[in-house]
Coordinates of all heavy atoms in Angstrom, one line a residue:
M1 N -33.4 41.3 -29.6 CA -33.4 40.9 -31.0 C -32.0 40.7 -31.5 O -31.1 41.6 -31.2 CB -34.2 41.9 -31.8 CG -34.4 41.4 -33.2 SD -35.6 42.4 -34.1 CE -34.6 43.1 -35.3
D2 N -31.8 39.7 -32.3 CA -30.5 39.4 -32.8 C -30.2 40.2 -34.1 O -31.2 40.5 -34.9 CB -30.4 37.9 -33.2 CG -29.3 37.2 -32.5 OD1 -28.7 37.8 -31.6 OD2 -29.0 36.0 -32.8
A3 N -29.0 40.6 -34.3 CA -28.6 41.4 -35.5 C -28.8 40.6 -36.8 O -28.7 39.4 -36.8 CB -27.2 41.8 -35.3
L115 N -18.9 36.5 -33.0 CA -20.1 37.4 -33.1 C -21.2 37.0 -32.2 O -22.0 37.9 -31.8 CB -20.6 37.4 -34.6 CG -19.6 37.9 -35.6 CD1 -20.2 37.8 -37.0 CD2 -19.2 39.3 -35.3
D116 N -21.3 35.7 -31.8 CA -22.3 35.3 -30.9 C -22.3 36.1 -29.6 O -23.3 36.4 -29.0 CB -22.2 33.8 -30.6 CG -22.7 32.9 -31.7 OD1 -23.4 33.4 -32.6 OD2 -22.5 31.7 -31.6
D117 N -21.1 36.6 -29.2 CA -20.9 37.3 -28.0 C -21.5 38.7 -28.0 O -21.7 39.3 -27.0 CB -19.4 37.4 -27.7 CG -19.1 38.1 -26.4 OD1 -19.7 37.6 -25.3 OD2 -18.3 39.1 -26.4
C118 N -21.7 39.3 -29.3 CA -22.1 40.7 -29.3 C -23.3 41.0 -30.2 O -23.8 42.1 -30.2 CB -20.9 41.6 -29.7 SG -20.3 41.2 -31.3
R119 N -23.8 40.0 -31.0 CA -24.8 40.3 -32.0 C -26.1 40.8 -31.4 O -26.9 41.5 -32.0 CB -24.9 39.2 -33.0 CG -25.4 37.9 -32.5 CD -25.4 36.9 -33.6 NE -26.5 37.0 -34.6 CZ -26.6 36.5 -35.7 NH1 -25.6 35.7 -36.1 NH2 -27.6 36.7 -36.5
K120 N -26.4 40.4 -30.1 CA -27.6 40.9 -29.5 C -27.7 42.4 -29.2 O -28.7 42.9 -29.0 CB -27.9 40.1 -28.2 CG -26.9 40.4 -27.1 CD -27.0 39.4 -25.9 CE -25.8 39.6 -25.0 NZ -24.5 39.3 -25.5
N121 N -26.5 43.0 -29.3 CA -26.5 44.5 -29.1 C -26.6 45.3 -30.3 O -26.6 46.5 -30.2 CB -25.1 44.8 -28.4 CG -24.9 44.1 -27.1 OD1 -25.8 43.9 -26.3 ND2 -23.7 43.6 -26.9
Y122 N -26.8 44.7 -31.4 CA -26.9 45.4 -32.7 C -28.1 45.0 -33.5 O -28.6 43.9 -33.4 CB -25.6 45.2 -33.5 CG -24.4 45.7 -32.8 CD1 -23.6 44.9 -32.0 CD2 -24.1 47.1 -32.9 CE1 -22.6 45.4 -31.3 CE2 -23.0 47.6 -32.3 CZ -22.2 46.8 -31.4 OH -21.1 47.3 -30.8
S123 N -28.5 45.9 -34.4 CA -29.6 45.5 -35.4 C -28.9 45.0 -36.7 O -29.5 44.2 -37.3 CB -30.5 46.8 -35.7 OG -29.7 47.8 -36.3
V125 N -25.0 43.7 -38.4 CA -23.5 43.5 -38.4 C -23.1 43.3 -39.8 O -23.7 42.4 -40.5 CB -23.2 42.3 -37.5 CG1 -21.7 42.0 -37.6 CG2 -23.6 42.4 -36.1

Side-chain angles (χ1 to χ4, degrees):
M1 185 167 114
D2 240 10
L115 295 178
D116 284 347
D117 185 54
C118 61
R119 64 185 285 167
K120 66 187 172 301
N121 300 322
Y122 296 93
S123 62
V125 175

